[in-house]
Each structure stands twice: as C-alpha cells, then as structure tokens.
Amino acid sequence: KQEVTQIPAALSVPEGENLVLNCSFTDSAIYNLQWFRQDPGKGLTSLLLIQSSQREQTSGRLNASLDKSSGRSTLYIAASQPGDSATYLCAVLYYNQGGKLIFGQGTELSVKP
Amino acid sequence: DTGVSQNPRHKITKRGQNVTFRCDPISEHNRLYWYRQTLGQGPEFLTYFQNEAQLEKSRLLSDRFSAERPKGSFSTLEIQRTEQGDSAMYLCASSLARDEQYFGPGTRLTVT
C-alpha cells in the first residue's frame, strides 16, 4: 500500500532555531513530492516541489531534500520565526497514480518567541 | 494569475439536504482535483478532471457525491442527502498536467 508518514505530529521550538521536518513514503516509484503549509482553517500553500530526478530544492529559508532509495524527504527551516507556526504537510505523487496526491498527516509546528 | 477560488467558503446545512460547491481553477491549468480533509488529518483525494473528462474517482466518493467540470473550466461538487459524516473541509486544486498542484482556500461544510 502506498502511504506517506510524517513524524513527529507536533513540534515546538524557540524562535531562531533551525529545524527539520520528516516525511517518509513506502514506494520509491514517485513522480514528485510537494511540501505544503496550512494555517488553521485555511487552504494549502505550496512551499516546494521536488521532481523525482532532483535531490533538493531551496526557497528562501526553506530547503527540501529527497532520497528515494530510503523513502525519505526532509524539510529544513532555517532561523525559525513565530510566523512559521503552522501545519506542514508532505504529499507524494506516485508514478502509477494519474494525479492523486497522497498526503501525510502533517507536523504541527509552533515557534515560540 | 488570481489563484484557485472556491465558493462558498462556509456552508452549514441540515442532514438530508443537498449542497453544491464551486471551484474556479487557475485559468491555464487543464487539471482540477477535489480533496476532503477532516480535522487533524491530511487531505484525502476524491476525484480529478483533465479538461472536462473525469479520469479518476476515489472509493470515498459514494453515489451521493457527483462532480462535473463542464467545458473544462470551473467544477462543481454536489453532495446529495448530506450526512453528519460529510462534515469536512472540501479542497480544490489545479495543475498543468502532472506539475505542481495549487490549492484553493477550501469550503468548510458543517452538517447539523
């Protein structure tokens, strides 16, 4: 079964800390992987997209890596700020899925001032 | 690029009533997706369209649910005879082919 898992479910850090969010997937035959941010009661904001052939993508203070062989992706957030507090979701598009993203349950991040 | 829009943003309905939601994708995107999200969970796929063709439906999409995308533009999702278990956030997304999916703000449905 193709699944996506995110651990931990919740994370609290002091402002300024660098942090890593984890995402694991059960099948290495992925087409791409997306990281999203979701604020309470809101829709999803796409942060980074990594294609299957790529190892990492960077946007500002965010860096996402992809290791298909180990079935893992990480989202690195540098110099965290209270405004980074949100739920972060990882989603995988597998090759044999036409368009269906399979999501993890998310990591709820709280950055304390 | 005005982004994906969804209407209404909130809907409260009584059990047994029918509801319809609308999604307007990013104009140049040929694919449109519907997902459902319950509290504390990641979104779950419901269905998707490429242009006006509905290419895949999840088994979550019971016969009370129907989605259309006439003329390959906006899409509607209708739920007939709503049940309390239908209470959720309904999210719409669009993309160009299998590229990055962009999500709308969602429609929160509450069935009383």
Side-chain angles (χ1 to χ4, degrees), chain B residues 75-90:
Chain B
S75 176
T76 58
L77 177 68
E78 181 184 16
I79 309 174
Q80 297 182 326
R81 305 181 303 280
T82 52
E83 302 172 355
Q84 287 190 320
D86 296 332
S87 295
M89 175 79 90
Y90 289 84

PDB file of all heavy atoms in Angstrom, chain B residues 75-90:
ATOM      1  N   SER B  75     -15.500  23.795 -11.828  1.00  0.00           N
ATOM      2  CA  SER B  75     -16.038  22.494 -11.456  1.00  0.00           C
ATOM      3  C   SER B  75     -17.027  22.667 -10.313  1.00  0.00           C
ATOM      4  O   SER B  75     -16.923  23.609  -9.519  1.00  0.00           O
ATOM      5  CB  SER B  75     -14.922  21.560 -11.011  1.00  0.00           C
ATOM      6  OG  SER B  75     -15.434  20.315 -10.547  1.00  0.00           O
ATOM      7  N   THR B  76     -17.986  21.760 -10.230  1.00  0.00           N
ATOM      8  CA  THR B  76     -18.905  21.720  -9.102  1.00  0.00           C
ATOM      9  C   THR B  76     -18.852  20.344  -8.461  1.00  0.00           C
ATOM     10  O   THR B  76     -18.659  19.327  -9.139  1.00  0.00           O
ATOM     11  CB  THR B  76     -20.354  22.028  -9.522  1.00  0.00           C
ATOM     12  OG1 THR B  76     -20.761  21.079 -10.511  1.00  0.00           O
ATOM     13  CG2 THR B  76     -20.472  23.442 -10.068  1.00  0.00           C
ATOM     14  N   LEU B  77     -19.001  20.335  -7.149  1.00  0.00           N
ATOM     15  CA  LEU B  77     -19.093  19.103  -6.376  1.00  0.00           C
ATOM     16  C   LEU B  77     -20.409  19.145  -5.631  1.00  0.00           C
ATOM     17  O   LEU B  77     -20.651  20.074  -4.850  1.00  0.00           O
ATOM     18  CB  LEU B  77     -17.925  18.987  -5.391  1.00  0.00           C
ATOM     19  CG  LEU B  77     -17.929  17.761  -4.466  1.00  0.00           C
ATOM     20  CD1 LEU B  77     -17.683  16.488  -5.266  1.00  0.00           C
ATOM     21  CD2 LEU B  77     -16.856  17.901  -3.383  1.00  0.00           C
ATOM     22  N   GLU B  78     -21.276  18.170  -5.891  1.00  0.00           N
ATOM     23  CA  GLU B  78     -22.573  18.121  -5.244  1.00  0.00           C
ATOM     24  C   GLU B  78     -22.629  16.929  -4.307  1.00  0.00           C
ATOM     25  O   GLU B  78     -22.180  15.834  -4.641  1.00  0.00           O
ATOM     26  CB  GLU B  78     -23.712  18.019  -6.268  1.00  0.00           C
ATOM     27  CG  GLU B  78     -25.089  17.986  -5.618  1.00  0.00           C
ATOM     28  CD  GLU B  78     -26.231  17.792  -6.610  1.00  0.00           C
ATOM     29  OE1 GLU B  78     -25.971  17.377  -7.754  1.00  0.00           O
ATOM     30  OE2 GLU B  78     -27.392  18.064  -6.216  1.00  0.00           O
ATOM     31  N   ILE B  79     -23.167  17.164  -3.125  1.00  0.00           N
ATOM     32  CA  ILE B  79     -23.423  16.092  -2.172  1.00  0.00           C
ATOM     33  C   ILE B  79     -24.921  16.032  -1.947  1.00  0.00           C
ATOM     34  O   ILE B  79     -25.535  17.028  -1.535  1.00  0.00           O
ATOM     35  CB  ILE B  79     -22.712  16.313  -0.823  1.00  0.00           C
ATOM     36  CG1 ILE B  79     -21.222  16.607  -1.028  1.00  0.00           C
ATOM     37  CG2 ILE B  79     -22.887  15.084   0.067  1.00  0.00           C
ATOM     38  CD1 ILE B  79     -20.483  16.975   0.251  1.00  0.00           C
ATOM     39  N   GLN B  80     -25.515  14.899  -2.232  1.00  0.00           N
ATOM     40  CA  GLN B  80     -26.948  14.715  -2.016  1.00  0.00           C
ATOM     41  C   GLN B  80     -27.187  14.037  -0.677  1.00  0.00           C
ATOM     42  O   GLN B  80     -26.365  13.243  -0.203  1.00  0.00           O
ATOM     43  CB  GLN B  80     -27.534  13.878  -3.154  1.00  0.00           C
ATOM     44  CG  GLN B  80     -27.433  14.550  -4.521  1.00  0.00           C
ATOM     45  CD  GLN B  80     -28.067  13.713  -5.621  1.00  0.00           C
ATOM     46  OE1 GLN B  80     -28.024  12.482  -5.587  1.00  0.00           O
ATOM     47  NE2 GLN B  80     -28.660  14.378  -6.596  1.00  0.00           N
ATOM     48  N   ARG B  81     -28.323  14.376  -0.078  1.00  0.00           N
ATOM     49  CA  ARG B  81     -28.740  13.724   1.185  1.00  0.00           C
ATOM     50  C   ARG B  81     -27.578  13.711   2.184  1.00  0.00           C
ATOM     51  O   ARG B  81     -27.130  12.660   2.648  1.00  0.00           O
ATOM     52  CB  ARG B  81     -29.227  12.304   0.909  1.00  0.00           C
ATOM     53  CG  ARG B  81     -30.328  12.230  -0.136  1.00  0.00           C
ATOM     54  CD  ARG B  81     -30.811  10.796  -0.373  1.00  0.00           C
ATOM     55  NE  ARG B  81     -29.740   9.892  -0.767  1.00  0.00           N
ATOM     56  CZ  ARG B  81     -29.243   9.789  -1.978  1.00  0.00           C
ATOM     57  NH1 ARG B  81     -29.702  10.561  -2.960  1.00  0.00           N
ATOM     58  NH2 ARG B  81     -28.284   8.913  -2.246  1.00  0.00           N
ATOM     59  N   THR B  82     -27.129  14.908   2.531  1.00  0.00           N
ATOM     60  CA  THR B  82     -25.948  15.022   3.380  1.00  0.00           C
ATOM     61  C   THR B  82     -26.121  14.278   4.703  1.00  0.00           C
ATOM     62  O   THR B  82     -27.227  14.188   5.264  1.00  0.00           O
ATOM     63  CB  THR B  82     -25.609  16.490   3.676  1.00  0.00           C
ATOM     64  OG1 THR B  82     -26.783  17.145   4.181  1.00  0.00           O
ATOM     65  CG2 THR B  82     -25.110  17.190   2.437  1.00  0.00           C
ATOM     66  N   GLU B  83     -24.992  13.775   5.193  1.00  0.00           N
ATOM     67  CA  GLU B  83     -24.919  13.075   6.473  1.00  0.00           C
ATOM     68  C   GLU B  83     -23.907  13.797   7.357  1.00  0.00           C
ATOM     69  O   GLU B  83     -23.045  14.524   6.859  1.00  0.00           O
ATOM     70  CB  GLU B  83     -24.475  11.619   6.244  1.00  0.00           C
ATOM     71  CG  GLU B  83     -25.378  10.847   5.314  1.00  0.00           C
ATOM     72  CD  GLU B  83     -24.815   9.473   4.955  1.00  0.00           C
ATOM     73  OE1 GLU B  83     -23.663   9.163   5.367  1.00  0.00           O
ATOM     74  OE2 GLU B  83     -25.521   8.707   4.270  1.00  0.00           O
ATOM     75  N   GLN B  84     -23.992  13.572   8.663  1.00  0.00           N
ATOM     76  CA  GLN B  84     -23.071  14.256   9.573  1.00  0.00           C
ATOM     77  C   GLN B  84     -21.622  13.896   9.260  1.00  0.00           C
ATOM     78  O   GLN B  84     -20.718  14.720   9.431  1.00  0.00           O
ATOM     79  CB  GLN B  84     -23.427  13.933  11.021  1.00  0.00           C
ATOM     80  CG  GLN B  84     -24.693  14.644  11.482  1.00  0.00           C
ATOM     81  CD  GLN B  84     -24.934  14.523  12.971  1.00  0.00           C
ATOM     82  OE1 GLN B  84     -24.713  13.455  13.539  1.00  0.00           O
ATOM     83  NE2 GLN B  84     -25.406  15.593  13.585  1.00  0.00           N
ATOM     84  N   GLY B  85     -21.386  12.708   8.781  1.00  0.00           N
ATOM     85  CA  GLY B  85     -20.042  12.276   8.415  1.00  0.00           C
ATOM     86  C   GLY B  85     -19.468  13.008   7.217  1.00  0.00           C
ATOM     87  O   GLY B  85     -18.276  12.882   6.930  1.00  0.00           O
ATOM     88  N   ASP B  86     -20.298  13.778   6.522  1.00  0.00           N
ATOM     89  CA  ASP B  86     -19.806  14.560   5.386  1.00  0.00           C
ATOM     90  C   ASP B  86     -19.169  15.867   5.845  1.00  0.00           C
ATOM     91  O   ASP B  86     -18.542  16.564   5.037  1.00  0.00           O
ATOM     92  CB  ASP B  86     -20.955  14.891   4.425  1.00  0.00           C
ATOM     93  CG  ASP B  86     -21.575  13.656   3.790  1.00  0.00           C
ATOM     94  OD1 ASP B  86     -20.859  12.647   3.632  1.00  0.00           O
ATOM     95  OD2 ASP B  86     -22.773  13.702   3.473  1.00  0.00           O
ATOM     96  N   SER B  87     -19.321  16.213   7.111  1.00  0.00           N
ATOM     97  CA  SER B  87     -18.728  17.447   7.637  1.00  0.00           C
ATOM     98  C   SER B  87     -17.217  17.383   7.496  1.00  0.00           C
ATOM     99  O   SER B  87     -16.567  16.439   7.985  1.00  0.00           O
ATOM    100  CB  SER B  87     -19.100  17.636   9.111  1.00  0.00           C
ATOM    101  OG  SER B  87     -20.487  17.838   9.257  1.00  0.00           O
ATOM    102  N   ALA B  88     -16.662  18.344   6.801  1.00  0.00           N
ATOM    103  CA  ALA B  88     -15.230  18.348   6.492  1.00  0.00           C
ATOM    104  C   ALA B  88     -14.899  19.629   5.748  1.00  0.00           C
ATOM    105  O   ALA B  88     -15.785  20.420   5.423  1.00  0.00           O
ATOM    106  CB  ALA B  88     -14.857  17.140   5.615  1.00  0.00           C
ATOM    107  N   MET B  89     -13.606  19.804   5.463  1.00  0.00           N
ATOM    108  CA  MET B  89     -13.161  20.856   4.563  1.00  0.00           C
ATOM    109  C   MET B  89     -13.000  20.228   3.185  1.00  0.00           C
ATOM    110  O   MET B  89     -12.312  19.209   3.046  1.00  0.00           O
ATOM    111  CB  MET B  89     -11.824  21.432   5.032  1.00  0.00           C
ATOM    112  CG  MET B  89     -11.219  22.456   4.084  1.00  0.00           C
ATOM    113  SD  MET B  89     -11.980  24.065   4.255  1.00  0.00           S
ATOM    114  CE  MET B  89     -10.912  24.764   5.514  1.00  0.00           C
ATOM    115  N   TYR B  90     -13.629  20.827   2.186  1.00  0.00           N
ATOM    116  CA  TYR B  90     -13.510  20.331   0.813  1.00  0.00           C
ATOM    117  C   TYR B  90     -12.570  21.268   0.064  1.00  0.00           C
ATOM    118  O   TYR B  90     -12.814  22.456  -0.070  1.00  0.00           O
ATOM    119  CB  TYR B  90     -14.885  20.249   0.157  1.00  0.00           C
ATOM    120  CG  TYR B  90     -15.688  19.116   0.766  1.00  0.00           C
ATOM    121  CD1 TYR B  90     -16.400  19.304   1.949  1.00  0.00           C
ATOM    122  CD2 TYR B  90     -15.686  17.854   0.193  1.00  0.00           C
ATOM    123  CE1 TYR B  90     -17.079  18.259   2.545  1.00  0.00           C
ATOM    124  CE2 TYR B  90     -16.383  16.806   0.776  1.00  0.00           C
ATOM    125  CZ  TYR B  90     -17.071  17.016   1.950  1.00  0.00           C
ATOM    126  OH  TYR B  90     -17.746  15.969   2.551  1.00  0.00           O
TER     127      TYR B  90
END
